[in-house]
Amino acid sequence: MYQKIAEKYGTPTYVYDFRKIKEQYNKLKSVVPEALIAYAVKANSNLSILRFLRSLGAGFDIVSGGELYRVRKAGGGEIIFSGVGKTEDELRDAAGVLSLNVESLDELALISEMKLSIPISLRINPDISVDTHPYISTGLRSSKFGIPLELVDQALSIIKSGNLSLVGLSCHIGSHISDVSVLKSAYSCLREKFEEIRACGFDLKILDFGGGLSVDLDLQKFGSMIKEVTSGLDAKIVFEPGKFLVAESGVLLTKVLYRKDNGTHKFAVVDAGMNDLIRPSLYDAYHDIQAISGSPNMEEITIVGPVCETGCFLGKARLLPVLKRGDLLFIRDSGAYGFSMSSNYNSRPRACEVAIELDGSIRCIRTRESYESLVASEP
Ligand code: LLP
């Protein structure tokens, strides 16, 4: 199948299996049946993926006007608008969202100044440490995200004096979290605050636990924890998963351009680079790499891309069948933060995206960029 796709669409190409997205959505939904699953659009914002998740019943978590535009183009839905740096234009455009998650006192003041009548939630920073890469840990006091607990009273005064409509609380402590007890501490802290604020007379309705769920999460344990943490509470529970829904659905197909053997190190130079998939370079993320190769012999080899940076690698010292020019590789778990973090660095047109539909048929959902498109907005 990958061979056929590579022949038809060329490489590098992202391939997403919609059957896997559906499986993940249903798995999560089965343990938190009442909750709104607001897909974190930043993970993969292709319109076909948004439409597909919408058809399954998902809402959306967005962080920019561009993502809002995409979601509306895909048919809209229940939208959570998160993000630490929303512009005035973005705030104005947000009319109609389910909740605008506010991250600072300054943002509250601006919303009040602009006299926006929009439902808001406070994103709380619970100061909880998560065992994940520091760049994707967001729940610590030292991070730029959320409002620290002791500033919540001040936030409430701004809300009162500005007559703003506070509808909920949210948190998001990081990405790739599989430790249920860490999630429980954050969620419990949020529930406690939720009840406290309700007791002060605010009509809170939404308790948004954010995203960050790892694909390795023990879902049964997670489901029981949610039952326990939310027991007896009358509120709409929201999750904002990105990776959990789409990471495993995707592979990045790439072709070996050259081999290089410098005596001490072996490299396969492939046609996908850090501009296509930046996660290995940026977070030292490990992505399993498989080869479609005729060779029965194995070797240890480093897979690098063509971008002119030593940091442009996809996998270091991997045991793979002996590769030759033209062999095809696929890089697993690339459905989240792959294409959406890609760039045109080195003036490389961005990759093609292809879907495997529920019936197994193949459809191109984004054509490969052209050289003309690279310069289209430059006079
Ligand atoms: N909600 C909020 C407010 C977020 O900031 C994020 C991710 C999510 C939900 C979804 O998180 P997820 O369920 O996908 O872990 N580029 C990094 C991940 C950055 C996540 C940023 N915020 C990576 O490739 O690992």
Side-chain angles (χ1 to χ4, degrees):
M1 156 111 62
Y2 290 151
Q3 196 86 47
K4 269 201 187 133
I5 292 175
E7 275 161 26
K8 183 155 181 197
Y9 298 102
T11 51
T13 288
Y14 276 99
V15 184
Y16 312 117
D17 191 336
F18 281 17
R19 295 167 296 194
K20 182 63 186 168
I21 299 178
K22 183 174 179 182
E23 184 188 317
Q24 290 297 102
Y25 180 86
N26 288 341
K27 266 203 302 203
L28 183 57
K29 193 73 187 162
S30 73
V31 296
V32 288
E34 308 293 337
L36 169 66
I37 297 183
Y39 168 60
V41 172
K42 63 174 86 64
N44 188 324
S45 47
N46 186 288
L47 287 179
S48 296
I49 290 194
L50 302 185
R51 286 190 202 108
F52 181 64
L53 279 158
R54 182 174 184 271
S55 76
L56 298 179
F60 300 100
D61 165 57
I62 59 161
V63 289
S64 71
E67 288 189 353
L68 180 57
Y69 181 80
R70 281 182 174 276
V71 166
R72 286 184 174 148
K73 194 127 185 119
E78 292 189 290
I79 300 172
I80 304 287
F81 198 156
S82 308
V84 74
K86 307 177 196 81
T87 64
E88 286 189 29
D89 283 344
E90 286 174 328
L91 290 173
R92 220 171 275 115
D93 285 351
V97 301
L98 180 68
S99 171
L100 184 97
N101 291 358
V102 174
E103 301 230 9
S104 64
L105 301 185
D106 240 15
E107 187 183 348
L108 269 183
L110 177 62
I111 294 169
S112 166
E113 248 170 70
M114 290 173 71
K115 302 202 181 330
L116 295 177
S117 62
I118 193 163
I120 59 172
S121 297
L122 295 179
R123 173 165 171 185
I124 304 293
N125 180 324
D127 197 18
I128 283 174
S129 161
V130 180
D131 183 22
T132 190
H133 190 282
Y135 287 5
I136 54 177
S137 164
T138 54
L140 269 181
R141 228 196 134 76
S142 53
S143 97
K144 67 180 174 183
F145 296 102
I147 298 174
L149 284 167
E150 68 273 20
L151 291 185
V152 169
D153 283 347
Q154 249 174 282
L156 293 178
S157 337
I158 303 176
I159 288 168
K160 261 195 200 147
S161 60
N163 223 356
L164 304 181
S165 144
L166 181 67
V167 296
L169 293 187
S170 78
C171 71
H172 172 80
I173 57 171
S175 192
H176 198 57
I177 306 171
S178 49
D179 185 341
V180 174
S181 62
V182 169
L183 293 169
K184 186 177 179 184
S185 325
Y187 298 173
S188 309
C189 161
L190 204 65
R191 174 182 175 155
E192 202 177 302
K193 208 69 202 164
F194 190 87
E195 290 189 301
E196 220 178 285
I197 296 176
R198 253 190 183 170
C200 300
F202 289 91
D203 185 19
L204 297 189
K205 299 178 184 81
I206 299 174
L207 192 52
D208 175 355
F209 289 142
L213 312 178
S214 157
V215 296
D216 306 322
L217 192 66
D218 179 336
L219 278 180
Q220 292 318 317
K221 222 167 132 183
F222 179 74
S224 328
M225 179 273 278
I226 295 297
K227 265 203 195 111
E228 190 188 327
V229 170
T230 60
S231 80
L233 192 72
D234 174 28
K236 181 175 177 104
I237 305 297
V238 178
F239 293 98
E240 306 168 353
K243 270 181 197 162
F244 183 87
L245 295 178
V246 295
E248 294 172 306
S249 78
V251 300
L252 174 58
L253 283 185
T254 181
K255 197 174 70 180
V256 177
L257 297 173
Y258 303 107
R259 289 184 57 97
K260 289 184 77 167
D261 190 341
N262 70 10
T264 52
H265 290 79
K266 284 180 192 162
F267 300 99
V269 185
V270 300
D271 63 4
M274 66 188 290
N275 72 297
D276 299 298
L277 180 66
I278 202 173
R279 303 192 73 256
S281 314
L282 190 58
Y283 313 115
D284 235 338
Y286 181 94
H287 284 257
D288 184 39
I289 300 179
Q290 303 277 317
I292 302 173
S293 147
S295 175
N297 302 318
M298 304 294 278
E299 66 179 346
E300 199 177 86
I301 192 159
T302 289
I303 311 298
V304 297
V307 169
C308 301
E309 301 251 2
T310 302
C312 179
F313 64 90
L314 296 167
K316 288 184 173 164
R318 299 298 174 85
L319 192 63
L320 286 167
V322 174
L323 296 170
K324 61 178 185 317
R325 276 197 295 135
D327 280 348
L328 205 58
L329 300 178
F330 54 100
I331 302 162
R332 286 192 195 272
D333 301 333
S334 302
Y337 307 103
F339 188 90
S340 66
M341 291 182 81
S342 68
S343 77
N344 291 123
Y345 186 39
N346 278 202
S347 283
R348 289 167 49 79
R350 282 190 294 172
C352 173
E353 290 178 291
V354 164
I356 304 173
E357 308 250 39
L358 293 184
D359 64 2
S361 61
I362 306 295
R363 182 166 63 94
C364 176
I365 56 171
R366 194 180 207 270
T367 55
R368 186 176 307 288
E369 288 180 353
S370 63
Y371 293 148
E372 298 84 75
S373 72
L374 289 181
V375 296
S377 18
E378 298 171 26

